[in-house]
Amino acid sequence: VESRLKYLEQALGDSDAKHREELSHAHGKLEALHGRLGHLEVKGATLDELKHHCEKQGIALDDLKSSHANLSSDKSALDLHHATLKERVDYLETMMGDSADHHKKVIEEHKANHAKLSNELCAREASHATLSDRMGYIEQRMGDSFEKHAQEL
């Protein structure tokens, strides 16, 4: 009986010490919470005010998310309708290249036609006498013919 009694006293003592330690720890936590709550009350914020403030922040956050979603969809729509800068530059380079090639071809054709006409002009000038040469030739023939007719008469 005595050993049982010692066992019970020891178990109760251990249990009592454990409970006192846990109770002391719980009181410490409770005091910390009271300190934090007191800090909030010192700032003038009650629990209802804090709740209301959080609700306002939540609404503002929802509005911000909605605006972000709208901007994102608008950007996607613009991206679909607008060509990228690279595509636009590539298009302009192609057009300019095609145009430059076309103009180069036209200029070469004009140069070839000019050379041909220049050569034809030189050939005509070489084979045709000038107006003064032609008039001189006609006057000489007329004069010879006149003199010949005058001698015959």
Side-chain angles (χ1 to χ4, degrees):
V1 173
E2 194 173 313
S3 65
R4 286 175 150 177
L5 187 59
K6 282 186 182 185
Y7 172 75
L8 285 175
E9 284 178 350
Q10 183 181 2
L12 287 176
D14 290 344
S15 178
D16 181 50
K18 182 179 176 184
H19 286 293
R20 284 180 196 235
E21 184 179 318
E22 288 178 2
L23 186 61
S24 174
H25 184 67
H27 280 290
K29 284 186 176 182
L30 186 60
E31 287 178 23
L33 287 173
H34 280 291
R36 290 174 66 191
L37 183 61
H39 177 71
L40 290 176
E41 288 175 348
V42 167
K43 288 188 173 184
T46 64
L47 189 57
D48 289 335
E49 290 172 344
L50 290 174
K51 184 178 176 183
H52 178 70
H53 181 71
C54 287
E55 288 172 354
K56 284 175 55 178
Q57 292 298 322
I59 292 170
L61 181 61
D62 290 341
D63 289 344
L64 185 61
K65 286 179 181 178
S66 175
S67 295
H68 182 267
N70 289 338
L71 286 174
S72 180
S73 66
D74 290 348
K75 182 189 177 299
S76 297
L78 286 174
D79 287 345
L80 290 175
H81 293 295
H82 287 1
T84 64
L85 181 61
K86 182 182 181 334
E87 290 170 343
R88 293 170 74 185
V89 168
D90 289 345
Y91 172 76
L92 289 174
E93 286 177 344
T94 301
M95 292 304 294
M96 293 300 291
D98 292 346
S99 179
D101 292 340
H102 174 73
H103 288 293
K104 182 179 178 183
K105 181 180 174 185
V106 168
I107 288 172
E108 288 173 358
E109 288 174 0
H110 284 305
K111 284 181 180 180
N113 287 337
H114 178 67
K116 179 181 173 186
L117 289 174
S118 179
N119 289 338
E120 288 177 3
L121 179 64
C122 289
R124 281 196 184 127
E125 284 179 354
S127 65
H128 290 291
T130 62
L131 184 59
S132 62
D133 290 342
R134 291 169 70 188
M135 286 302 289
Y137 174 76
I138 290 173
E139 287 174 350
Q140 180 186 4
R141 295 296 284 180
M142 292 283 284
D144 289 344
S145 178
F146 179 72
E147 288 175 10
K148 184 177 175 185
H149 287 300
Q151 285 177 358
E152 287 178 4
L153 286 171

